[in-house]
Amino acid sequence: MFTGLSAFPLTPMNEHSIQEREFSCLVKYVAKAGVDSIGVLGSTGSYAYLSCDERARIAKLGVENAGGVPVIIGIGALRTRDVLANAESAQQAGASGVLLAPVSYQKLTDDEVFDLYETVCRSLSVPLCVYDNPGTTHFEFSDELHGRIAQLPQVHSIKIPPVSNDIESAKERVARLRKLIPADVTIGISGDAAAATGLNAGCDVWYSVIGGLYPKAALAITRAAQAGDAQRARALSDILEPLWVLYKEYGGSLRLAATIAEVTGRVSQPCLPQPLKTLQGDKRKRVAAVIETLGLE
Amino acid sequence: MFTGLSAFPLTPMNEHSIQEREFSCLVKYVAKAGVDSIGVLGSTGSYAYLSCDERARIAKLGVENAGGVPVIIGIGALRTRDVLANAESAQQAGASGVLLAPVSYQKLTDDEVFDLYETVCRSLSVPLCVYDNPGTTHFEFSDELHGRIAQLPQVHSIKIPPVSNDIESAKERVARLRKLIPADVTIGISGDAAAATGLNAGCDVWYSVIGGLYPKAALAITRAAQAGDAQRARALSDILEPLWVLYKEYGGSLRLAATIAEVTGRVSQPCLPQPLKTLQGDKRKRVAAVIETLGLE
C-alpha cells in the first residue's frame, strides 16, 4: 500500500459543515483512475482544522467511496489523547493504514516525539506512515530519530519533505535515510514539484497533492519512474512546470489545490476552513489560465 | 486591566481530566497576592491542547476563583469557528478580556490574520489583547500589521515577544511599535527573563509565567518599574537570574513552570498533556535546587 501513487484529496468545507457529497466525488474520482492508495485527511485534507467527530465521519466516507483502493487516514493532533481517538476511528472506518505527523504548539523534543509514536503504535492493528513535514509541524526529524521510530513494528513508511531537484543530492538523501531504517519501510516523497526527482532517486511512493485532483497526470509520472524510465518521468513532470511555479510563488500546495478545485467547479466556494482562504484576484486568474493551458483532466 | 502584572497560571491535567481543584488553588493564590489581572488559558495554561468544552469549564473556574481580579482568557484556535466559540464561552464565564494568538498549521498570510482579528472583534463585548508569539504560532507579525489590527476598537493591548536585554534596543523596539498604534492600546512584555528590561523600556504590562507561580516576586519587579525605579526592577530581576538561565537551557517556560509546580507539590504529576513532559532526572534536580536556593514563595 505504501508504494506507487498515493493521492491526497481535499476535504471541502465551509464554516457550517463539510461538503460530504463533494468529498465523496473527489475520492471516487481518484479511486477510479487507479491510484495505489488514497490519503484521506492529510494536510491537503485539512485534518488539523477538524474535530475528532468530523474526522471519524470523513474517514468513514473516504473508505466507503474508495471502491476497494486502500485508504490511509491522517490521525495527527496536538494531543496524544486525540491522536489515539483518531487512530481508533480510522481503524473502525476500515483504514488500511494511518499517517501521523508530530503536530506541535509547544516545540517538541525528540523523546516526546518518539514516545508519541510508540504509544500510538501500541494501539494500532494497521500499519503507520511517519509524516515528516516541518513546514506545518515545526518539528525537524533527525535521521537518527527516523531510524529509531522506524524500528517500531507498525511503522511501514516515512513521508519525507521535498528533496533537492538535483538528482545526485536526492539520491544521497534517500540513501542516507535508507541505511538507518528496516528494509520493509518504504520512503515516500512529498512536494509535488520534487516528486519525479524523488521517485527517480529511489523513493518508493509519491504522497501527492496534485494526484488528488489530476490522478492521471500523477500516475503517468509515477508509472514511468517505477518502470525505470527516469527520463520520461522527468519529462512528464517538466510539462507541469507552470504548476510547480505556482506552488512556489503562492505559498504552498493547499491554497493552490483548493483554488484549482474551486475554479474547475469540483467544490463549492469557499472550500477551506477560515482563517484560510483560497487565492483571489489576479492570482486566481493566473491559476485558471495555467490549468486551461495544461489541459489536465 | 491591561497594565501592571498579569499572571498566567498553569492548567494542570492528565490524560483523563483537568485537575480542577489544583487549578482553582493556583488562581486563588495569584489573586490573593494582588496581581492586576490573571491570564487563564494562555500558552502556560495549555489552551491549545484542550477542547472548546474544557476551555469553557476552565474559563468559568478561573473567573469564579479570581475574587474580583480581572480575568483575561485565551481564545486562540486553529480554526476561526473555534475561536468564536471560545470567545463566546469566555464572555459567558465573565471574562474581563480575551487574548488571541494567530495559531497556525498552514502558514498564515497577513490578510488572513487581519481578517481573523476583525471577525473575532465583531463578536466581542470585552477588550482583546493581540498575542504575538512566533515561537508557538509560527506567525511573524510585522509592525505594520500590528498597526492595522490595533485600529480595531476592541483591541486594547499587544503582548509582544521578549525584547533584547539591552535597554536602548528595547526602548527603540517599544517606541517603534508605539508610533503605529492608538494611545489607549498598551504594550505588554512576555518572556520573564526580559520582563524587567521590557517594563523599564516602557512596556505597560508584564504577561508573566513566573507570576502565575510566584506572584510576589513578579509584583516586586513590576511595582519598582511602575514607580520609575528602573535600577531596583533590574536588581530584583537579576536575583532570579538562575531561573532565567533554566528557561533558556531547558527549552522554554512551560516545561519549567510545570516542573516547578510539580516539585513544589502544587500540582499532581504528570500535569502536562501528552506528548508534553515535564523535566526529569538531573534537570529536575537542578530546578528543585534553584527554587530552594532562591527561597521564593
Side-chain angles (χ1 to χ4, degrees):
Chain A
M1 165 184 43
F2 295 123
T3 57
L5 179 67
S6 188
F8 280 69
L10 295 157
T11 311
M13 67 185 87
N14 59 34
E15 297 310 287
H16 306 294
S17 63
I18 296 168
Q19 304 283 16
E20 296 192 355
R21 199 187 46 77
E22 292 172 5
F23 171 75
S24 300
C25 285
L26 292 172
V27 172
K28 272 186 196 151
Y29 186 74
V30 294
K32 212 173 156 194
V35 301
D36 300 300
S37 64
I38 302 173
V40 163
L41 293 171
S43 292
T44 308
S46 295
Y47 73 95
Y49 299 85
L50 296 167
S51 70
C52 289
D53 286 349
E54 288 169 321
R55 292 169 69 166
R57 173 74 183 144
I58 286 297
K60 197 163 169 284
L61 279 179
V63 174
E64 281 173 9
N65 286 282
V69 176
V71 173
I72 303 164
I73 294 174
I75 60 171
L78 281 175
R79 197 166 171 185
T80 304
R81 173 188 72 175
D82 298 335
V83 178
L84 291 169
N86 294 332
E88 179 60 26
S89 66
Q91 292 180 104
Q92 290 285 345
S96 297
V98 294
L99 178 69
L100 175 57
V103 186
S104 73
Y105 177 78
Q106 297 285 345
K107 194 173 166 61
L108 296 172
T109 68
D110 279 14
D111 282 346
E112 287 169 344
V113 169
F114 181 81
D115 287 359
L116 168 68
Y117 281 96
E118 195 179 41
T119 302
V120 173
C121 279
R122 272 200 303 267
S123 82
L124 287 178
S125 55
V126 298
L128 177 141
C129 174
V130 173
Y131 183 9
D132 177 356
N133 187 357
T136 55
T137 66
H138 307 287
F139 180 78
E140 299 272 349
F141 282 90
S142 66
D143 282 358
E144 187 272 333
L145 180 60
H146 269 314
R148 277 176 71 201
I149 293 173
Q151 307 299 325
L152 296 168
Q154 292 81 2
V155 173
H156 285 252
S157 187
I158 304 174
K159 177 180 188 298
I160 64 171
V163 293
S164 153
N165 248 325
D166 171 67
I167 184 72
E168 290 311 318
S169 320
K171 279 182 182 170
E172 276 169 39
R173 198 280 158 274
V174 173
R176 213 163 52 237
L177 184 56
R178 187 82 75 193
K179 262 196 284 185
L180 297 169
I181 63 177
D184 63 344
V185 174
T186 68
I187 298 176
I189 187 70
S190 52
D192 290 347
T197 310
L199 292 168
N200 287 340
C203 286
D204 311 280
V205 46
W206 174 12
Y207 295 110
S208 177
V209 176
I210 203 68
L213 288 172
Y214 298 111
K216 291 172 198 168
L219 272 169
I221 295 169
T222 308
R223 297 298 178 236
Q226 286 180 312
D229 192 345
Q231 213 177 334
R232 182 169 161 75
R234 172 83 275 144
L236 288 168
S237 174
D238 287 347
I239 293 172
L240 303 179
E241 184 62 28
L243 212 49
W244 309 152
V245 169
L246 295 181
Y247 276 67
K248 232 176 295 176
E249 287 185 22
Y250 293 166
S253 56
L254 175 63
R255 286 183 189 78
L256 182 62
T259 305
I260 293 172
E262 284 182 2
V263 301
T264 56
R266 299 212 223 174
V267 300
S268 306
Q269 188 182 346
C271 74
L272 291 178
Q274 280 186 30
L276 304 179
K277 291 181 201 299
T278 49
L279 304 166
Q280 303 298 330
D282 286 346
K283 292 181 180 175
R284 192 177 187 88
K285 282 183 200 149
R286 190 166 156 210
V287 171
V290 165
I291 291 301
E292 204 186 329
T293 309
L294 290 175
L296 293 168
E297 57 178 307
Chain B
M1 167 183 46
F2 294 123
T3 58
L5 179 66
S6 188
F8 280 69
L10 296 156
T11 310
M13 67 185 88
N14 59 34
E15 297 310 286
H16 306 295
S17 63
I18 296 169
Q19 305 284 15
E20 296 192 355
R21 199 187 46 78
E22 293 173 2
F23 171 74
S24 299
C25 285
L26 292 172
V27 172
K28 274 185 195 150
Y29 186 75
V30 294
K32 213 175 153 189
V35 302
D36 300 300
S37 64
I38 302 174
V40 163
L41 294 171
S43 292
T44 308
S46 295
Y47 73 93
Y49 299 85
L50 295 167
S51 70
C52 289
D53 286 349
E54 289 168 320
R55 292 170 69 166
R57 173 73 183 146
I58 286 297
K60 199 163 167 286
L61 279 178
V63 174
E64 280 172 9
N65 287 281
V69 175
V71 173
I72 303 164
I73 295 174
I75 60 171
L78 281 175
R79 198 166 169 185
T80 303
R81 174 188 71 175
D82 298 334
V83 178
L84 291 170
N86 294 332
E88 179 60 25
S89 66
Q91 292 180 104
Q92 290 284 344
S96 298
V98 294
L99 178 70
L100 175 57
V103 186
S104 72
Y105 177 77
Q106 297 285 345
K107 196 175 166 57
L108 296 173
T109 67
D110 280 13
D111 282 345
E112 287 169 344
V113 169
F114 180 81
D115 287 358
L116 168 68
Y117 281 96
E118 196 179 41
T119 301
V120 173
C121 279
R122 272 200 302 266
S123 83
L124 287 179
S125 54
V126 298
L128 177 141
C129 174
V130 173
Y131 185 8
D132 176 358
N133 187 357
T136 54
T137 64
H138 307 287
F139 180 77
E140 301 271 351
F141 281 90
S142 65
D143 282 357
E144 186 272 332
L145 180 60
H146 270 312
R148 276 176 72 202
I149 292 172
Q151 307 299 326
L152 296 167
Q154 292 80 3
V155 173
H156 284 252
S157 187
I158 304 173
K159 179 180 187 296
I160 63 170
V163 293
S164 154
N165 248 325
D166 171 68
I167 183 73
E168 291 310 319
S169 318
K171 279 182 183 170
E172 276 169 39
R173 198 280 159 274
V174 174
R176 212 163 53 236
L177 183 56
R178 187 84 73 193
K179 262 196 284 187
L180 298 169
I181 63 178
D184 63 344
V185 174
T186 68
I187 299 176
I189 187 70
S190 52
D192 290 346
T197 310
L199 292 168
N200 287 340
C203 286
D204 311 281
V205 46
W206 174 12
Y207 295 109
S208 177
V209 175
I210 203 68
L213 288 171
Y214 299 111
K216 290 171 201 169
L219 273 169
I221 295 169
T222 308
R223 297 298 178 236
Q226 286 179 310
D229 192 344
Q231 215 177 333
R232 183 170 161 74
R234 173 83 273 143
L236 288 168
S237 173
D238 286 348
I239 293 172
L240 303 180
E241 183 63 27
L243 211 51
W244 309 152
V245 170
L246 295 181
Y247 276 68
K248 232 177 294 174
E249 287 185 21
Y250 293 167
S253 56
L254 174 64
R255 286 183 190 78
L256 182 62
T259 304
I260 293 172
E262 284 182 1
V263 301
T264 56
R266 299 212 222 175
V267 300
S268 306
Q269 189 183 344
C271 74
L272 292 178
Q274 278 186 33
L276 305 179
K277 291 180 201 301
T278 49
L279 303 167
Q280 304 296 329
D282 287 346
K283 291 180 181 175
R284 191 178 187 87
K285 282 181 201 151
R286 190 167 155 210
V287 171
V290 164
I291 290 301
E292 205 185 327
T293 308
L294 290 175
L296 293 168
E297 57 177 305

